[in-house]
Amino acid sequence: MQEKARLAFSFEEKQNKNRLFVILEGCVLESKRVGKEWTLLNCDDHQSVIAKQGKDYADYRPDVVHQCLLQMTDSPLHRAGLLQIYLHTRDGVLIEVSPFLRVPRSFQRFSKMMVELLKSNKIKAVQQKKMALLKVVKNPVTKWLPIGATIYACAKEGDTEDLPTFVQGLPEKPVVFVVGGFSRGHLDVDYAHKTVSVSPHPLSAAIVCAKLCNAFEDKLVPLPPGCPTG
């Protein structure tokens, strides 16, 4: 039976429990009042608004974050409580994602949720008001990571690794992977220890997240009794 997802981990578990941390870095999540309502800026609906700010509307792809979150939170790894996600926006906002979060399937509902988060710094569960499904936390992101955990940045400039084999060979302790939460550009973080490429081919951020979850699922999530292996 898979371990159930939990809202928080004890300090000891956070330091020692063998699980995956994923940081979506450089996410473009920016809310602005357009007309009478606050909205999450995106390249399809707000080109003129973004252009008036002197910025390139093509960079405004919050749908990339939405796609990544759907891939990760749908995974058995996340449902087993073995995945911790952080979002770090281009503007420096750091967001912790609860294992209990159910990401809205539609982009419109996702956008409304993120606008509310950026406004109030927290999204609470409907039935359990004390439970924060999303919350803004203080920087730096390394403050929230296990002490001594190796941090890998996923970028095409790194050595290409066969991800399943690479993950199986990692030590039995928490590990951190940083993925660019944007559609174009270069992932440049000063807190990563190593840079790896998970494929010789260009991949979207969502596919990188899916590959990470699949590889760690094979390593950490036991199959139910009776399921064939291999």
Side-chain angles (χ1 to χ4, degrees):
M1 181 178 294
Q2 293 181 3
E3 180 182 348
K4 293 182 179 179
R6 294 157 48 193
L7 179 62
F9 295 86
S10 68
F11 177 80
E12 183 178 354
E13 284 180 316
K14 194 166 189 177
Q15 299 305 314
N16 302 312
K17 189 177 181 69
N18 190 9
R19 60 196 180 104
L20 171 65
F21 286 71
V22 173
I23 303 167
L24 280 183
E25 186 67 61
C27 304
V28 183
L29 299 172
E30 183 178 330
S31 63
K32 185 177 180 63
R33 191 180 185 93
V34 179
K36 296 182 179 180
E37 296 183 354
W38 284 86
T39 187
L40 191 68
L41 295 180
N42 68 77
C43 63
D44 292 322
D45 302 321
H46 308 109
Q47 294 184 11
S48 61
V49 174
I50 297 168
K52 287 179 181 178
Q53 299 180 140
K55 299 178 180 179
D56 188 345
Y57 67 81
D59 290 332
Y60 282 73
R61 291 287 307 278
D63 60 296
V64 172
V65 181
H66 184 219
Q67 293 165 9
C68 290
L69 285 176
L70 286 173
Q71 289 282 0
M72 290 190 286
T73 57
D74 278 351
S75 70
L77 187 74
H78 183 262
R79 295 179 181 182
L82 298 173
L83 172 64
Q84 177 63 63
I85 305 167
Y86 288 93
L87 311 178
H88 200 202
T89 75
R90 187 174 61 176
D91 297 326
V93 179
L94 181 60
I95 301 164
E96 184 178 65
V97 180
S98 164
F100 283 110
L101 176 68
R102 297 184 65 181
V103 180
R105 313 308 288 187
S106 75
F107 179 68
Q108 183 179 20
R109 290 182 60 198
F110 169 78
S111 296
K112 290 181 178 179
M113 181 180 72
M114 298 311 296
V115 167
E116 179 61 28
L117 171 66
L118 295 171
K119 178 181 178 182
S120 62
N121 291 333
K122 186 179 294 186
I123 296 293
K124 295 181 179 180
V126 174
Q127 296 181 345
Q128 300 184 45
K129 296 298 184 182
K130 293 183 179 180
M131 180 188 296
L133 300 175
L134 292 167
K135 64 179 178 180
V136 175
V137 296
K138 292 183 178 180
N139 282 292
V141 67
T142 51
K143 173 182 177 181
W144 305 95
L145 303 178
I147 298 172
T150 303
I151 304 174
Y152 296 94
C154 293
K156 63 182 180 180
E157 293 80 12
D159 294 331
T160 301
E161 301 283 355
D162 176 70
L163 193 57
T165 303
F166 181 74
V167 168
Q168 290 294 335
L170 292 174
E172 299 295 321
K173 64 178 185 178
V175 63
V176 183
F177 280 80
V178 187
V179 179
F182 40 81
S183 62
R184 63 178 189 172
H186 174 69
L187 178 64
D188 185 15
V189 292
D190 59 6
Y191 57 85
H193 301 126
K194 300 178 181 179
T195 301
V196 296
S197 173
V198 301
S199 172
H201 309 289
L203 300 177
S204 68
I207 295 300
V208 173
C209 290
K211 287 175 67 69
L212 285 171
C213 289
N214 289 340
F216 278 90
E217 176 190 338
D218 290 342
K219 180 181 177 71
L220 302 179
V221 181
L223 290 172
C227 285
T229 60

